[in-house]
């Protein structure tokens, strides 16, 4: 809408137009601004409502300031880092004179509610750089001074809400009364500016929503996420552990290894069906290789290094250079294409300690990589084949997903013309299959554009796992060729792709997706045999032996205790089937079967049990 009368406050314009309702900010000629902004000339004004994506971000950012003001009142002498809105909430990093724990969060929330009731306005202050330095020096806020020191502009934007002043571009809600539906969630440590050499600050996480209903629905999701937390379940189910002696490097226990092996077996069979050949490349490669690949310039701060025979080497953060060396090991012909080299490659990447999180963010993981070498005119069919594999495998686990296409980043390697061809090829493959996708300009890998697959779990969280990256650059860097129909050397195209991504992370996602109750085919223990007493152990072992010959993963509970306790333990361990053995079962050579979810299935013969278990779902199809 255009405005012809000026100067006038944006809030007045919105009110005159009769649309002020849930409006908390405006866009003036496309720029987000406070409602208090003065419109000085003819402009296009767009209202920003509280429940719009931009409105929710403003609401949450404003709530982070509200929280900071409450801390300012309760903990005098606090110094402030940054407090952005993030997905599903906000946080603020603070250097607090007294420790803050989660027990203190209700007290901070109460102070936030008092400030909300005061309807204190958010005031924007435009000041010189020197004035801003004076304000934060007087407050002893060294972190803000450090931020100001890195700003080149001589004019800065500050926001004042009550006693609290922050360095901030805004915009914000008009006053604190708009901030009614919030909740503080947790406390964590965070290094200032993410650098382990800097002080550790206190980070308080929270969330905020336009309505009470939205907030309660989100908090219910948070509680469900806690119930499904893979770190707690991983310990309770004896799947994996993290040790202080190896931060960020997971230890997999026998049951965890079983699940990973079953997952890998499924992955391997799918890939054999689709014409992939599996390779294995070294963990450590010459540093010169990483310089040549471009990782040295673009990724070395995330790499680990060592020395062998006086020469520098690097522990691989990615598998692609090793795959290229396998390609180069012999002369290749167009008749070899598509050459699909799959690798379950162990990689190491340095992650800051503050972002490590169970299996979801680790420093060592197994990537289900594959590198496909083909000709440019066959790109589309190979991309479509990968998309079909992704669709099938995610469908097995019940994951819906959405697709994003990311294009040339600022630090891109190689000529723009090659990038344009690569981006067009990916877009044509998506369009050919009628796949809806979101465009992420500038978010591609440094060597090529990519298609990312973001799966959605049962409580609505998304995880980026699969990716397809089209690469014209590394074939140039490594001068790889194939002999074409004309007998001359030509340059192949290289496609990088993963489906599961990190196996460790995917296992963490599965633990949370199933809340630890894996489907039968994935369960580390599929059947638990519960003898009522020691005199039933011999028959229990015989039943176990029969099932093991059918490749059933079975355990016999030899612990002392009542049958009720054994059933509860098996339920807690989320075993799909329990077999109860007592006098009647021994005498009649039968078994009593209990299903994890359905309960008692009654008595049956061993043959009937074997048939029941053989009909359990295994996902691999002959064709897909």
């Amino acid at each position: 809408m255009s405005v012809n009368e000026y100067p006038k406050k944006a809030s007045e314009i919105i009110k005159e137009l009769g649309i002020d309702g849930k409006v908390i900010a405006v866009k003036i000629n496309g720029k987000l601004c406070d409602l208090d902004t003065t419109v000085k000339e003819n402009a296009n004004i767009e209202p920003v409502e509280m429940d719009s994506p931009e409105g929710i971000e403003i609401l949450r950012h404003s709530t982070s300031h509200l929280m900071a003001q409450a801390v300012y009142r309760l903990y005098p002498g606090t110094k402030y880092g940054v407090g952005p809105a993030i997905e599903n909430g906000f946080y603020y990093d603070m250097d607090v004179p007294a420790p803050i724990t989660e027990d203190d969060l209700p007290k901070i929330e109460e102070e936030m509610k008092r400030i909300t009731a005061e309807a204190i306005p958010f005031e924007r202050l435009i000041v010189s750089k020197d004035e801003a330095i004076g304000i934060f020096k007087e407050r002893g806020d060294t972190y803000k001074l450090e931020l100001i020191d890195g700003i080149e502009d001589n004019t800065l934007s500050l926001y004042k809400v009550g006693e609290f002043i922050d360095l901030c571009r805004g915009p914000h809600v008009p006053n604190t009364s708009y901030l009614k539906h919030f909740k503080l969630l947790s406390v964590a440590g965070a290094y200032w500016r993410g650098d382990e050499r800097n002080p550790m600050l206190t980070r308080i996480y929270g969330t905020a929503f336009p309505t009470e209903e939205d907030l309660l629905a989100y908090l219910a999701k948070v509680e469900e996420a806690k119930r499904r937390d893979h770190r707690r379940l991983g310990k309770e189910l004896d799947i994996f552990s993290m040790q202080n002696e190896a931060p960020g490097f997971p230890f997999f226990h026998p049951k965890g290894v079983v699940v990973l092996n079953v997952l890998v077996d499924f992955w391997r069979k799918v890939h054999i069906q689709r014409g992939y050949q599996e390779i294995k490349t070294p963990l450590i490669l010459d540093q010169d290789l990483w310089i040549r690949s471009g990782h040295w310039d673009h990724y070395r701060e995330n790499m680990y290094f060592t020395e062998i025979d006086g020469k520098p080497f690097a522990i691989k953060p990615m598998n692609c250079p090793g795959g290229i060396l396998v390609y180069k090991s012999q002369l290749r012909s167009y008749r070899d294409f598509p050459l699909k080299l799959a690798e379950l490659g162990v990689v190491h990447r340095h992650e800051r300690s503050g972002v490590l999180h169970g299996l979801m963010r680790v420093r060592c993981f197994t990537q289900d990589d594959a590198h496909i070498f083909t000709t440019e005119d066959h790109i589309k069919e190979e991309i479509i084949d990968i998309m079909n594999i992704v669709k099938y495998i995610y469908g097995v686990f019940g994951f819906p997903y959405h697709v994003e296409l990311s294009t040339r980043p600022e630090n891109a390697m190689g000529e723009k013309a090659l990038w344009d061809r690569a981006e067009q090829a990916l877009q044509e493959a998506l369009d050919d299959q009628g796949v809806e996708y979101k465009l992420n300009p500038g978010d591609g890998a440094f060597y090529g554009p990519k298609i990312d697959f973001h799966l959605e779990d049962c409580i609505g969280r998304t995880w980026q796992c699969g990716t397809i990256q089209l690469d014209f650059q590394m074939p140039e860097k490594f001068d790889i060729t194939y002999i074409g129909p004309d007998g001359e050397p030509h340059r192949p195209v290289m496609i990088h792709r993963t489906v599961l991504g990190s196996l460790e992370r995917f296992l963490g996602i599965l633990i949370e997706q199933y809340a630890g109750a894996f489907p039968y085919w994935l369960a580390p223990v599929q059947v638990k045999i519960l003898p009522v007493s020691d005199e039933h152990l011999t028959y229990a072992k015989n039943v176990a032996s029969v099932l093991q010959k059918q490749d059933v993963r079975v355990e016999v509970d030899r612990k002392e205790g009542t049958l009720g306790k054994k059933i509860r333990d098996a339920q807690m361990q989320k075993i799909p089937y329990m077999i109860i053995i007592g006098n009647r079962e021994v005498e009649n050579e039968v078994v009593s079967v209990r299903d994890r979810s359905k309960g008692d299935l009654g008595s049956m013969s061993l043959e009937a049990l074997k048939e029941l278990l053989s009909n359990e779902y295994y996902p691999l199809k002959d064709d897909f």
Side-chain angles (χ1 to χ4, degrees), residues 255-266:
K255 290 179 181 178
V257 171
V258 168
V259 181
L260 284 173
N261 285 343
V262 174
L263 196 59
V264 166
D265 178 66
F266 169 60

Side-chain angles (χ1 to χ4, degrees), residues 268-287:
R268 186 168 280 132
K269 287 176 179 175
V270 169
H271 284 74
I272 289 171
Q273 281 189 356
R274 305 304 275 198
Y276 285 80
Q277 303 173 70
E278 193 171 345
I279 63 171
K280 189 174 181 63
T281 63
L283 283 174
I284 301 174
L285 294 163
D286 192 309
Q287 181 176 291

Side-chain angles (χ1 to χ4, degrees), residues 530-536 561-563 566 580-583 585:
L530 313 178
V532 175
S533 69
D534 286 351
E535 65 186 87
H536 306 116
T562 64
L563 177 62
K566 290 180 178 182
I580 298 166
I581 305 289
N583 289 335
E585 287 74 25

Side-chain angles (χ1 to χ4, degrees), residues 316-330:
K316 65 178 181 181
M318 298 175 187
N319 298 302
C320 33
I324 289 174
L325 293 183
V326 171
Y327 181 93
K328 283 174 69 76
S329 66
Q330 59 181 273

Side-chain angles (χ1 to χ4, degrees), residues 50-295:
M50 185 182 293
D51 56 1
S52 69
E54 289 167 324
I56 290 172
E57 185 173 350
I58 291 168
L59 183 77
R60 289 171 177 162
H61 189 191
S62 299
T63 310
S64 79
H65 281 236
L66 171 66
M67 179 181 72
Q69 189 197 0
V71 171
Y72 188 90
R73 289 183 177 183
L74 295 171
Y75 300 88
T78 295
K79 299 174 184 178
Y80 295 86
V82 293
I86 57 174
E87 185 180 6
N88 295 324
F90 60 87
Y91 69 78
Y92 215 117
D93 289 343
M94 297 169 281
D95 191 344
V96 189
I100 290 180
T101 68
E102 294 194 5
D103 291 339
D104 298 309
L105 297 185
K107 176 176 68 175
I108 298 171
E109 278 185 8
E110 285 304 312
E111 188 61 36
M112 291 170 69
K113 290 173 183 175
R114 280 191 282 271
I115 297 168
T116 295
E118 295 172 28
I120 302 171
F122 280 80
E123 301 176 60
R124 190 175 191 224
L125 310 174
I126 303 299
V127 300
S128 70
K129 190 170 182 177
D130 287 342
E131 287 176 307
I133 289 170
I135 289 169
F136 289 109
K137 264 188 179 177
E138 184 179 342
R139 291 171 170 255
D141 219 330
T142 53
Y143 302 104
K144 297 296 181 187
L145 291 170
E146 185 180 326
L147 292 173
I148 292 170
D149 187 56
I151 297 174
E152 294 182 1
D153 294 344
N154 289 319
T155 302
L156 303 182
S157 169
L158 310 183
Y159 274 83
K160 181 176 185 294
V161 54
E163 312 92 318
F164 179 67
I165 297 178
D166 206 354
L167 178 69
C168 183
R169 287 191 299 267
H172 286 285
V173 297
N175 64 65
T176 57
S177 70
Y178 284 72
L179 310 174
K180 296 177 180 177
H181 312 296
F182 54 80
K183 180 72 177 174
L184 301 186
L185 300 173
S186 62
V187 180
Y191 290 107
W192 168 235
R193 307 191 95 163
D195 191 330
E196 296 172 8
R197 296 166 296 185
N198 287 337
M200 175 74 78
L201 305 183
T202 297
R203 175 174 291 182
I204 301 179
Y205 285 97
T207 192
F209 284 88
T211 68
E212 183 75 7
E213 292 78 13
D214 290 339
L215 176 63
L216 292 175
Y218 177 74
L219 293 178
K221 276 189 178 182
V222 169
E223 287 305 309
E224 182 64 13
K226 288 179 182 177
R227 187 180 75 83
R228 294 173 178 268
D229 191 317
H230 76 285
R231 294 167 298 177
R232 178 181 62 80
L233 288 170
K235 183 177 181 180
E236 290 178 2
L237 301 177
D238 198 24
I239 292 172
F240 75 96
S241 62
M242 308 300 291
Q243 308 290 342
N244 292 333
E245 292 80 0
F249 298 86
F251 290 70
F252 288 98
H253 300 193
K255 290 179 181 178
V257 171
V258 168
V259 181
L260 284 173
N261 285 343
V262 174
L263 196 59
V264 166
D265 178 66
F266 169 60
W267 176 92
R268 186 168 280 132
K269 287 176 179 175
V270 169
H271 284 74
I272 289 171
Q273 281 189 356
R274 305 304 275 198
Y276 285 80
Q277 303 173 70
E278 193 171 345
I279 63 171
K280 189 174 181 63
T281 63
L283 283 174
I284 301 174
L285 294 163
D286 192 309
Q287 181 176 291
D288 287 344
L289 182 76
W290 303 104
I291 293 172
R292 191 173 186 183
S293 71
H295 290 91

